[in-house]
Structure formats: structure tokens, C-alpha cells
């Protein structure tokens, strides 16, 4: 496991907010673990930040952070209030193609106040989240997407965003797998 200044604080904050949430916590631990493995696909200087963002990516589900009900945005805003670096909050805001779901919810305006990073760190975070299921088991990205649609239901914002979000997530997966293969 990668450890560093941000990672240690991120793990403590995530444990405080999600540590008693069962599957949500198991998912978070496994995504952080996966991100640490994928750290070979990002510049050395970004590894701590990647793993920190992985620990924090779902804190917007924790009751004390809920505001809009859209967890990527609520998590980012909570990190802002706590004084976390803007880049970490922005990675959390935009993880896993959040902008596509935000557009369906009418929350793209607030979400776009966070700069959307493109590149290896944002890709690795999303890929880590999309290859661990909701209970913390490693899965293929296609199984993850099928499970997500099943859990959220056919009329959910996730389902309505799926036709544009899925190609984005599959492109992310291709890029990360290529980087991992040549790392
Ligand atoms: Fe997640």
C-alpha cells in the first residue's frame, strides 16, 4: 500500500465517515488498494494524491456530508470545507464520469465549478472505482456496469446517463490497461 502525507489523512477521514457502513467501507478499502496497484500508471509525484483521492471518492455518501444528494459533488464540497487541496476535491467531484449523471440531475453547473482533470491520475481513480463492485470484490468493468444498472434501476439518473457514460468509462479502461501493460 502506498502511504504518504495525503494518503494517511485521507484514510483517517474516510474511516471516520464510512468505517461503520459495511459494504460501502469494504468497497472504499478495495478501491484504495486497487488505486495503489495502479499507481505505476501515474507519475511518481502523483501517487500519494491518487491513493488519497481513492480513499475519499465516496465520502459524499456519508450522512454528515450529504447536501445535494449527489455524492461526487457532496464529497468534493466537504473536502473544500475541510481545506483539502483543490485538486483532490476536483478528482472526487469528477470521478467515474460524474459529469454525465450530473447533467441528468441538473447539477452540471455546480459540478463544473471544479476543474475536470484529464490524464493518468483521473483515469486511474475512475478505473479503480469501476473494477471493484459495491461490496468490495474485484470485477471486470463490464460486470461492474451491469451490476450498477441493476442496483440503480432502469429509470435512475445513472441509467439515463448510461449511453454517454459507458463509452467514456470503457475508453478510460483502455487507456489505463495500456499504461499498466507498459509500466
Ligand atoms: Fe466508488
Amino acid at each position: 500500500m502506498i502511504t504518504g502525507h495525503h494518503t494517511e489523512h485521507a484514510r483517517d477521514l474516510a474511516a471516520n465517515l464510512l468505517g461503520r457502513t459495511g459494504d460501502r467501507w469494504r468497497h472504499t478499502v478495495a478501491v484504495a488498494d486497487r488505486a495503489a496497484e495502479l499507481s505505476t500508471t501515474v507519475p511518481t509525484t502523483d501517487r500519494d494524491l491518487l491513493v488519497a483521492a481513492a480513499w475519499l471518492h465516496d465520502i459524499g455518501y456519508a450522512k454528515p456530508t450529504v447536501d445535494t444528494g449527489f455524492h461526487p459533488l457532496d464529497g468534493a464540497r466537504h473536502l473544500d470545507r475541510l481545506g483539502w487541496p483543490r485538486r483532490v476535491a476536483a478528482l472526487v467531484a469528477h470521478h467515474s464520469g460524474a459529469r454525465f449523471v450530473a447533467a441528468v440531475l441538473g447539477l452540471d453547473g455546480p459540478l463544473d465549478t471544479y476543474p475536470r482533470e484529464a490524464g493518468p491520475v483521473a483515469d486511474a481513480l475512475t478505473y479503480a472505482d469501476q473494477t471493484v463492485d459495491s461490496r468490495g470484490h474485484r470485477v471486470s468493468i463490464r460486470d461492474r456496469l451491469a451490476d450498477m444498472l441493476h442496483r440503480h434501476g432502469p429509470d435512475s439518473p445513472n441509467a439515463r446517463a448510461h449511453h454517454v457514460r459507458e463509452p467514456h468509462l470503457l475508453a478510460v479502461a483502455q487507456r489505463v490497461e495500456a499504461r499498466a501493460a507498459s509500466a
Side-chain angles (χ1 to χ4, degrees):
M1 180 66 76
I2 300 276
T3 56
H5 174 73
H6 291 107
T7 296
E8 286 173 23
H9 286 101
R11 185 175 45 220
D12 289 348
L13 176 57
N16 279 332
L17 288 168
L18 298 173
R20 287 171 296 281
T21 59
D23 281 350
R24 182 84 63 205
W25 178 241
R26 283 185 278 279
H27 168 81
T28 293
V29 172
V31 171
D33 202 39
R34 190 85 175 99
E37 287 175 19
L38 293 168
S39 67
T40 57
T41 67
V42 308
T44 315
T45 48
D46 285 340
R47 288 176 181 176
D48 176 41
L49 222 63
L50 166 63
V51 182
W55 278 111
L56 298 168
H57 80 284
D58 273 351
I59 60 165
Y61 281 116
K63 279 220 176 68
T65 74
V66 174
D67 173 19
T68 66
F70 185 51
H71 81 277
L73 181 58
D74 292 350
R77 286 178 170 177
H78 192 72
L79 294 171
D80 278 347
R81 287 193 292 272
L82 295 177
W84 278 77
R86 186 76 172 159
R87 191 177 173 202
V88 175
L91 283 164
V92 168
H94 288 287
H95 81 270
S96 293
R99 71 183 190 276
F100 300 107
V101 183
V104 171
L105 294 167
L107 289 170
D108 37 344
L111 196 72
D112 286 344
T113 64
Y114 293 91
R116 183 159 52 82
E117 182 173 327
V121 177
D123 281 355
L125 174 62
T126 287
Y127 188 72
D129 187 31
Q130 295 304 316
T131 53
V132 170
D133 74 9
S134 58
R135 286 151 297 166
H137 301 123
R138 300 276 178 111
V139 289
S140 72
I141 190 159
R142 287 184 187 280
D143 285 351
R144 168 79 157 129
L145 291 173
D147 179 59
M148 177 274 296
L149 286 175
H150 179 73
R151 281 183 299 113
H152 288 260
D155 298 323
S156 64
N158 283 57
R160 283 155 61 201
H162 193 63
H163 68 289
V164 280
R165 183 170 175 250
E166 182 186 46
H168 163 76
L169 295 175
L170 295 178
V172 167
Q174 257 186 4
R175 290 195 295 269
V176 174
E177 285 164 12
R179 289 185 194 115
S182 64

